[in-house]
Amino acid sequence: MSNTTPGNRLYGMMQVLLTHYAHKEVPDPAEDRGVVDQQDALDAVLSLAAFLDANAQAGRISVNDAEHMASMLMVIRECIRPLPVGLVESSGGEADGVTPDLQEMVNALRTARDETGMRG
């Protein structure tokens, strides 16, 4: 893949991170570049979510894969800015269903990290 566009270079950076991850290494971060702010990160999450949803709706991504990717995006989104209350019906009315869902996802990430020693 050519390294001539921002998308190509950032894709290459993703591959570098994946290689470090596979070797159980954590690369040293650069100094804060002062380029990406919170709103930019929020917009990126939603842009990726829209792309994911379009591909899932078109059948190019399995439902299970789409749900997993969406769950990971919501973990990221929660860290950037807390998600709105996600309502689920309970016997006493409505309750926040997002908190236990996020906890389940984070627990799975932490368990995998503890078992493998791999850190992103």
Side-chain angles (χ1 to χ4, degrees):
M1 181 176 290
S2 173
N3 196 16
T4 59
T5 68
N8 293 141
R9 286 186 293 272
L10 292 172
Y11 186 87
M13 177 55 69
M14 178 193 72
Q15 290 178 317
V16 166
L17 293 174
L18 289 171
T19 299
H20 279 282
Y21 183 76
H23 292 107
K24 299 181 182 179
E25 301 168 349
V26 179
D28 293 330
E31 295 291 323
D32 185 353
R33 292 177 173 88
V35 175
V36 179
D37 65 21
Q38 183 185 48
Q39 190 59 56
D40 297 324
L42 292 168
D43 292 346
V45 166
L46 282 182
S47 176
L48 187 53
F51 183 79
L52 168 61
D53 187 54
N55 280 277
Q57 295 294 327
R60 291 185 288 267
I61 299 173
S62 74
V63 172
N64 286 342
D65 287 349
E67 286 178 358
H68 177 75
M69 288 184 259
S71 296
M72 296 300 101
L73 276 174
M74 294 305 99
V75 169
I76 295 165
R77 170 54 164 77
E78 176 71 12
C79 185
I80 299 166
R81 180 183 297 157
L83 293 162
V85 173
L87 300 177
V88 294
E89 292 184 25
S90 65
S91 58
E94 295 176 340
D96 178 25
V98 171
T99 300
D101 293 342
L102 287 169
Q103 188 65 62
E104 183 176 330
M105 294 298 118
V106 170
N107 288 346
L109 288 168
R110 292 173 182 166
T111 297
R113 184 173 55 234
D114 290 345
E115 290 176 356
T116 66
M118 298 172 88
R119 302 176 68 84

